[in-house]
Amino acid sequence: MLATWGDMDYNAHMRNTAFLDKSADVRLMFYAENGVPTDEFMRLGIGPVVKTDSIEYFREVRLLEEVRVTIAAAGLSDDGARFIIRNEFFRMDDSLAARVTSAGGWLDLKARKLVAPPESLQAALRRLSRTDDFQVLKALRPSTA
């Protein structure tokens, strides 16, 4: 990925929200490459929702600098409803520039609540490499209704 004009801040390096935007792009590209394109989310009536993002900075990324962005699972519930995804941004000299960790789940767009995703999406999530600090997250409670 390339750090573009719109990614820059007043200090002439990549702004914090650009890291979040590129992390979301990488997640969506991963899902599409693993059989779940964005139009499938619309058909299913679900979408990824992020509860928390954290960003750690290590090196500056400047205008038109290329970065390599990785994606890995730092946490996943057994039913796939909750996830922690980690993206790491590496400069072309392989130095770590930033780490974005996003915790979230799958939102039913009509009911506006977390749901377990279909098996195709769960399978894609299970294909992610796992971080050294991977954790099993709490699954949704079974419905009592």
Side-chain angles (χ1 to χ4, degrees):
M1 297 190 129
L2 196 62
T4 62
W5 179 260
D7 296 328
M8 297 298 111
D9 68 9
Y10 185 77
N11 297 318
H13 61 229
M14 201 156 117
R15 61 185 164 79
N16 62 334
T17 55
F19 284 103
L20 297 176
D21 291 341
K22 290 188 184 301
S23 293
D25 290 344
V26 168
R27 287 192 299 268
L28 291 172
M29 287 186 278
F30 170 80
Y31 299 135
E33 290 168 2
N34 283 274
V36 190
T38 54
D39 59 343
E40 180 66 0
F41 290 128
M42 297 309 290
R43 188 188 72 75
L44 293 168
I46 63 171
V49 62
V50 172
K51 181 180 177 186
T52 60
D53 284 310
S54 68
I55 309 173
E56 299 171 83
Y57 303 100
F58 302 96
R59 301 278 185 274
E60 288 184 306
V61 175
R62 297 192 181 276
L63 181 62
L64 299 181
E65 189 171 351
E66 270 191 79
V67 291
R68 177 175 52 87
V69 185
T70 63
I71 183 171
L76 187 60
S77 61
D78 288 337
D79 61 0
R82 292 184 171 92
F83 56 77
I84 301 172
I85 303 292
R86 181 162 302 143
N87 298 100
E88 291 185 321
F89 291 73
F90 292 89
R91 294 169 21 151
M92 292 297 93
D93 65 2
D94 282 332
S95 61
L96 181 61
R99 179 180 296 128
V100 175
T101 303
S102 303
W106 296 99
L107 184 69
D108 179 308
L109 298 176
K110 284 186 182 177
R112 310 308 285 180
K113 65 178 187 170
L114 284 186
V115 295
E119 180 53 37
S120 61
L121 190 48
Q122 288 186 45
L125 290 166
R126 287 192 296 270
R127 282 194 286 277
L128 281 169
S129 61
R130 293 183 173 195
T131 62
D132 290 340
D133 61 346
F134 178 88
Q135 55 188 297
V136 176
L137 304 176
K138 185 178 175 183
L140 294 177
R141 289 189 184 131
S143 175
T144 56

